[in-house]
């Protein structure tokens, strides 16, 4: 389910706090989610009404911080970490997105947004587990556009393994399985 289904494709969601909170309530409590093992809420970076409402209305097993190694992104991640600590939501760990790009021609590896040292330092400083790196690869976006995630379209790829490893780590932390 997505807010994108509720508003026009090109329409901005220009809503004040009460409208956002009502939409969140509807998404969380009026959508027939069926039998779920886990519900993932992908939120934009920030510490506003949306994030606060969710922490107040849903019993959360935890939050996952996702960031690139870029300086500005890690600053946003720290704000999210501090917010979740303030509202007593367990932080399951941190995932570094778009960490490395492997050139399809020369196979050289490039840290497009900087090395992961900043992110690993951030984890150590805040006592958060580093759960893994998701590479920057055009097929990940293409697979998403086709509605067939990389773990389904290319299950034996290194990219799929990166997602699977992170999912296993999260599953173990929330008690879905051991491993």
């Amino acid at each position: 389910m997505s807010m994108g289904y509720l508003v026009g494709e090109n329409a901005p969601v220009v809503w004040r706090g009460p409208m956002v909170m009502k939409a969140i309530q509807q998404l969380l409590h009026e959508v027939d989610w069926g039998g779920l093992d886990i519900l993932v809420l992908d939120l934009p970076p920030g510490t506003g009404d949306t994030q606060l409402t969710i922490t107040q209305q849903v019993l959360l097993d935890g939050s996952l911080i996702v960031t690139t190694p870029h300086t500005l992104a890690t600053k946003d991640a720290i704000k999210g970490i501090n917010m979740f600590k303030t509202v007593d939501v367990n932080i399951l760990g941190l995932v570094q997105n778009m960490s490395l790009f492997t050139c399809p021609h020369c196979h050289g590896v490039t840290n497009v947004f900087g090395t992961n040292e900043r992110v690993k330092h951030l984890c150590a400083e805040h006592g958060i587990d580093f759960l893994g790196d998701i590479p920057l690869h055009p097929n990940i976006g293409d697979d998403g556009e086709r509605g067939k995630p990389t773990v389904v379209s290319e299950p034996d790829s290194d990219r799929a393994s990166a997602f699977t490893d992170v999912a296993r780590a999260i599953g173990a932390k929330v008690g879905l399985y051991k491993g």
Side-chain angles (χ1 to χ4, degrees):
M1 176 50 124
S2 172
M3 286 296 296
Y5 297 140
L6 304 177
V7 295
E9 185 175 319
N10 296 319
V13 180
V14 185
W15 293 351
R16 295 196 183 273
M19 291 177 72
V20 171
M21 289 184 272
K22 179 63 177 165
I24 291 169
Q25 283 181 325
Q26 287 180 305
L27 288 170
L28 293 174
H29 304 294
E30 296 177 24
V31 171
D32 181 4
W33 294 106
L36 298 176
D37 289 329
I38 193 165
L39 176 63
V40 176
L41 304 174
D42 182 6
L43 304 174
T47 56
D49 282 342
T50 303
Q51 292 81 354
L52 199 54
T53 299
I54 288 169
T55 64
Q56 292 169 342
Q57 292 192 6
V58 180
L59 180 60
L60 301 172
D61 287 319
S63 64
L64 177 68
I65 306 296
V66 180
T67 186
T68 68
H70 190 275
T71 304
L72 292 176
T74 57
K75 286 181 180 188
D76 279 344
I78 291 168
K79 290 176 185 177
I81 290 166
N82 290 334
M83 183 207 68
F84 285 120
K85 285 181 177 180
T86 299
V87 297
D88 250 356
V89 171
N90 181 35
I91 299 173
L92 302 171
L94 184 142
V95 174
Q96 182 173 236
N97 194 18
M98 299 187 282
S99 56
L100 298 169
F101 173 74
T102 302
C103 177
H105 307 290
C106 72
H107 305 289
V109 175
T110 303
N111 295 304
V112 178
F113 297 107
T115 68
N116 67 0
E117 292 307 312
R118 182 180 298 113
V119 170
K120 293 213 174 174
H121 176 73
L122 183 155
C123 289
E125 183 179 325
H126 292 275
I128 298 171
D129 291 336
F130 179 75
L131 300 181
D133 289 304
I134 303 298
L136 175 61
H137 194 283
N139 287 16
I140 293 172
D142 292 344
D143 291 342
E145 287 287 323
R146 287 193 303 272
K148 211 168 197 183
T150 298
V151 296
V152 173
S153 68
E154 302 176 79
D156 297 326
S157 69
D158 289 342
R159 300 176 299 288
S161 293
F163 283 107
T164 303
D165 292 346
V166 168
R168 282 191 181 114
I170 294 166
K173 285 178 171 282
V174 298
L176 284 179
Y177 53 84
K178 298 195 180 350

